[in-house]
Amino acid sequence: GLVYAVFEIDYDQENGLTGLGQYTVEITNSLSEPGAVLNDFLLNSRYGAGLSASDINATSIAALTTYATEQVAFTTALGAPDTHDRWQINGMMGTYSNVFQTIDLICQACSTFFTYNPKEGKFEVVPNREATTGEKSAAYVFNDDNVIGAIDVTSTQLYAQYNEIEAEYPDGTERDQTATIYINTPAGELNPNEPTNKLTTRYPIVNDAPRVTNLALIDLRQSRKDLVVQLKADYEAIQTDVGDIVKLTNVTYGFTNKLFRVMRVTETEAEDGMLSVSLVLLEYDDSVYAHET
């Protein structure tokens, strides 16, 4: 299964043939669907994480596949309307990185959270997508009846808020030479006196402009929905999982069923043996996931 190239040269100093010089290699692979790529990497014991199938929540991988292969609109280089899979993996991952870095790389390319669910004892993925109407209706509600103690709310300062993104990627139409996409927050969405602040990032295993554009838009919009809430709730809240959409009502902060996404769930035990749940919530908004063609 090793991929390699063999060169034979006749050393000729007079003609300057003393080494290989620069060369490129074109590699193709049948795996590009994110769920299949991630599952392959997690299970492979030679170049991957070496997990067993029982360590992975297969349902969550299937949900990622369904979301990633959904057909979305884009405009071709010739200006023609077309559709393609929402997300694809189109790039090389080296075995010199540790498995956590590679998993992060795959998940970055399909806007997905990777987490461990201690309730099931399995690793799972949660696509970072717009919540359905049913998910919002069934969202767990936090209020004065189940929140214990103070609520800590933080947000990014005005001078640290991103309003531009510069996204590099290997352009598949130009032999994977580095290309860059620039996106600015619309003027009407800027705060008064907000200074220019650019986020620079790279999507190394996504090689087409439409997908990179939408990935960059999600990152930029989410960075502006920066309200982070930390709270402690009674033990009933242990039913929430990372990635879930929840509602928070609090008079002090003016929240009425405000939507947040769960980013961390921690079971805690007090000295008297009482169990509670500490949560970190990130502000949620449908507009973050608006698709651009």
Side-chain angles (χ1 to χ4, degrees), residues 43-56:
L43 295 176
N44 193 280
S45 59
R46 182 166 58 85
Y47 55 77
L51 300 176
S52 65
S54 61
D55 294 325
I56 303 169

PDB file of all heavy atoms in Angstrom, residues 43-56:
ATOM      1  N   LEU A  43     -10.185   4.085  11.330  1.00  0.00           N
ATOM      2  CA  LEU A  43     -10.091   2.634  11.453  1.00  0.00           C
ATOM      3  C   LEU A  43      -8.735   2.072  11.038  1.00  0.00           C
ATOM      4  O   LEU A  43      -8.342   0.999  11.503  1.00  0.00           O
ATOM      5  CB  LEU A  43     -11.186   1.961  10.615  1.00  0.00           C
ATOM      6  CG  LEU A  43     -12.637   2.202  11.055  1.00  0.00           C
ATOM      7  CD1 LEU A  43     -13.596   1.545  10.074  1.00  0.00           C
ATOM      8  CD2 LEU A  43     -12.873   1.666  12.460  1.00  0.00           C
ATOM      9  N   ASN A  44      -8.006   2.780  10.181  1.00  0.00           N
ATOM     10  CA  ASN A  44      -6.774   2.220   9.631  1.00  0.00           C
ATOM     11  C   ASN A  44      -5.670   2.194  10.679  1.00  0.00           C
ATOM     12  O   ASN A  44      -5.354   3.201  11.299  1.00  0.00           O
ATOM     13  CB  ASN A  44      -6.319   3.026   8.417  1.00  0.00           C
ATOM     14  CG  ASN A  44      -5.237   2.308   7.642  1.00  0.00           C
ATOM     15  OD1 ASN A  44      -4.075   2.331   8.019  1.00  0.00           O
ATOM     16  ND2 ASN A  44      -5.630   1.665   6.549  1.00  0.00           N
ATOM     17  N   SER A  45      -5.078   1.028  10.869  1.00  0.00           N
ATOM     18  CA  SER A  45      -4.035   0.866  11.888  1.00  0.00           C
ATOM     19  C   SER A  45      -2.640   1.167  11.359  1.00  0.00           C
ATOM     20  O   SER A  45      -1.687   1.240  12.136  1.00  0.00           O
ATOM     21  CB  SER A  45      -4.071  -0.564  12.444  1.00  0.00           C
ATOM     22  OG  SER A  45      -3.864  -1.502  11.403  1.00  0.00           O
ATOM     23  N   ARG A  46      -2.502   1.349  10.039  1.00  0.00           N
ATOM     24  CA  ARG A  46      -1.173   1.607   9.469  1.00  0.00           C
ATOM     25  C   ARG A  46      -0.877   3.096   9.375  1.00  0.00           C
ATOM     26  O   ARG A  46       0.156   3.564   9.825  1.00  0.00           O
ATOM     27  CB  ARG A  46      -1.066   0.959   8.081  1.00  0.00           C
ATOM     28  CG  ARG A  46       0.295   1.136   7.425  1.00  0.00           C
ATOM     29  CD  ARG A  46       0.453   0.205   6.235  1.00  0.00           C
ATOM     30  NE  ARG A  46      -0.583   0.410   5.238  1.00  0.00           N
ATOM     31  CZ  ARG A  46      -0.520   1.332   4.274  1.00  0.00           C
ATOM     32  NH1 ARG A  46       0.527   2.123   4.191  1.00  0.00           N
ATOM     33  NH2 ARG A  46      -1.493   1.456   3.394  1.00  0.00           N
ATOM     34  N   TYR A  47      -1.813   3.859   8.796  1.00  0.00           N
ATOM     35  CA  TYR A  47      -1.573   5.296   8.654  1.00  0.00           C
ATOM     36  C   TYR A  47      -2.589   6.136   9.433  1.00  0.00           C
ATOM     37  O   TYR A  47      -2.526   7.369   9.403  1.00  0.00           O
ATOM     38  CB  TYR A  47      -1.599   5.718   7.186  1.00  0.00           C
ATOM     39  CG  TYR A  47      -2.857   5.330   6.449  1.00  0.00           C
ATOM     40  CD1 TYR A  47      -4.051   6.023   6.616  1.00  0.00           C
ATOM     41  CD2 TYR A  47      -2.848   4.260   5.567  1.00  0.00           C
ATOM     42  CE1 TYR A  47      -5.190   5.663   5.955  1.00  0.00           C
ATOM     43  CE2 TYR A  47      -3.992   3.899   4.875  1.00  0.00           C
ATOM     44  CZ  TYR A  47      -5.161   4.606   5.066  1.00  0.00           C
ATOM     45  OH  TYR A  47      -6.298   4.240   4.389  1.00  0.00           O
ATOM     46  N   GLY A  48      -3.541   5.482  10.116  1.00  0.00           N
ATOM     47  CA  GLY A  48      -4.597   6.214  10.814  1.00  0.00           C
ATOM     48  C   GLY A  48      -4.562   6.038  12.317  1.00  0.00           C
ATOM     49  O   GLY A  48      -3.524   5.753  12.905  1.00  0.00           O
ATOM     50  N   ALA A  49      -5.737   6.192  12.919  1.00  0.00           N
ATOM     51  CA  ALA A  49      -5.842   6.155  14.375  1.00  0.00           C
ATOM     52  C   ALA A  49      -5.891   4.739  14.930  1.00  0.00           C
ATOM     53  O   ALA A  49      -5.661   4.528  16.125  1.00  0.00           O
ATOM     54  CB  ALA A  49      -7.091   6.921  14.817  1.00  0.00           C
ATOM     55  N   GLY A  50      -6.211   3.752  14.090  1.00  0.00           N
ATOM     56  CA  GLY A  50      -6.216   2.368  14.544  1.00  0.00           C
ATOM     57  C   GLY A  50      -7.332   2.023  15.512  1.00  0.00           C
ATOM     58  O   GLY A  50      -7.189   1.114  16.334  1.00  0.00           O
ATOM     59  N   LEU A  51      -8.455   2.729  15.414  1.00  0.00           N
ATOM     60  CA  LEU A  51      -9.591   2.410  16.278  1.00  0.00           C
ATOM     61  C   LEU A  51     -10.356   1.220  15.705  1.00  0.00           C
ATOM     62  O   LEU A  51     -10.198   0.861  14.541  1.00  0.00           O
ATOM     63  CB  LEU A  51     -10.529   3.618  16.387  1.00  0.00           C
ATOM     64  CG  LEU A  51      -9.950   4.909  16.962  1.00  0.00           C
ATOM     65  CD1 LEU A  51     -10.992   6.025  16.910  1.00  0.00           C
ATOM     66  CD2 LEU A  51      -9.479   4.702  18.397  1.00  0.00           C
ATOM     67  N   SER A  52     -11.191   0.621  16.535  1.00  0.00           N
ATOM     68  CA  SER A  52     -12.065  -0.451  16.055  1.00  0.00           C
ATOM     69  C   SER A  52     -13.433   0.140  15.744  1.00  0.00           C
ATOM     70  O   SER A  52     -13.781   1.232  16.211  1.00  0.00           O
ATOM     71  CB  SER A  52     -12.192  -1.548  17.113  1.00  0.00           C
ATOM     72  OG  SER A  52     -12.843  -1.054  18.271  1.00  0.00           O
ATOM     73  N   ALA A  53     -14.224  -0.589  14.966  1.00  0.00           N
ATOM     74  CA  ALA A  53     -15.551  -0.107  14.585  1.00  0.00           C
ATOM     75  C   ALA A  53     -16.430   0.145  15.805  1.00  0.00           C
ATOM     76  O   ALA A  53     -17.283   1.036  15.797  1.00  0.00           O
ATOM     77  CB  ALA A  53     -16.219  -1.115  13.649  1.00  0.00           C
ATOM     78  N   SER A  54     -16.207  -0.621  16.881  1.00  0.00           N
ATOM     79  CA  SER A  54     -17.005  -0.453  18.096  1.00  0.00           C
ATOM     80  C   SER A  54     -16.672   0.833  18.834  1.00  0.00           C
ATOM     81  O   SER A  54     -17.393   1.237  19.752  1.00  0.00           O
ATOM     82  CB  SER A  54     -16.807  -1.651  19.025  1.00  0.00           C
ATOM     83  OG  SER A  54     -15.445  -1.765  19.403  1.00  0.00           O
ATOM     84  N   ASP A  55     -15.561   1.497  18.460  1.00  0.00           N
ATOM     85  CA  ASP A  55     -15.162   2.751  19.106  1.00  0.00           C
ATOM     86  C   ASP A  55     -15.815   3.969  18.460  1.00  0.00           C
ATOM     87  O   ASP A  55     -15.674   5.090  18.965  1.00  0.00           O
ATOM     88  CB  ASP A  55     -13.642   2.942  19.027  1.00  0.00           C
ATOM     89  CG  ASP A  55     -12.875   1.900  19.821  1.00  0.00           C
ATOM     90  OD1 ASP A  55     -13.379   1.499  20.886  1.00  0.00           O
ATOM     91  OD2 ASP A  55     -11.789   1.484  19.366  1.00  0.00           O
ATOM     92  N   ILE A  56     -16.510   3.769  17.335  1.00  0.00           N
ATOM     93  CA  ILE A  56     -17.009   4.884  16.532  1.00  0.00           C
ATOM     94  C   ILE A  56     -18.527   4.814  16.426  1.00  0.00           C
ATOM     95  O   ILE A  56     -19.094   3.744  16.193  1.00  0.00           O
ATOM     96  CB  ILE A  56     -16.383   4.856  15.129  1.00  0.00           C
ATOM     97  CG1 ILE A  56     -14.855   4.901  15.230  1.00  0.00           C
ATOM     98  CG2 ILE A  56     -16.892   6.013  14.270  1.00  0.00           C
ATOM     99  CD1 ILE A  56     -14.163   4.618  13.912  1.00  0.00           C
TER     100      ILE A  56
END
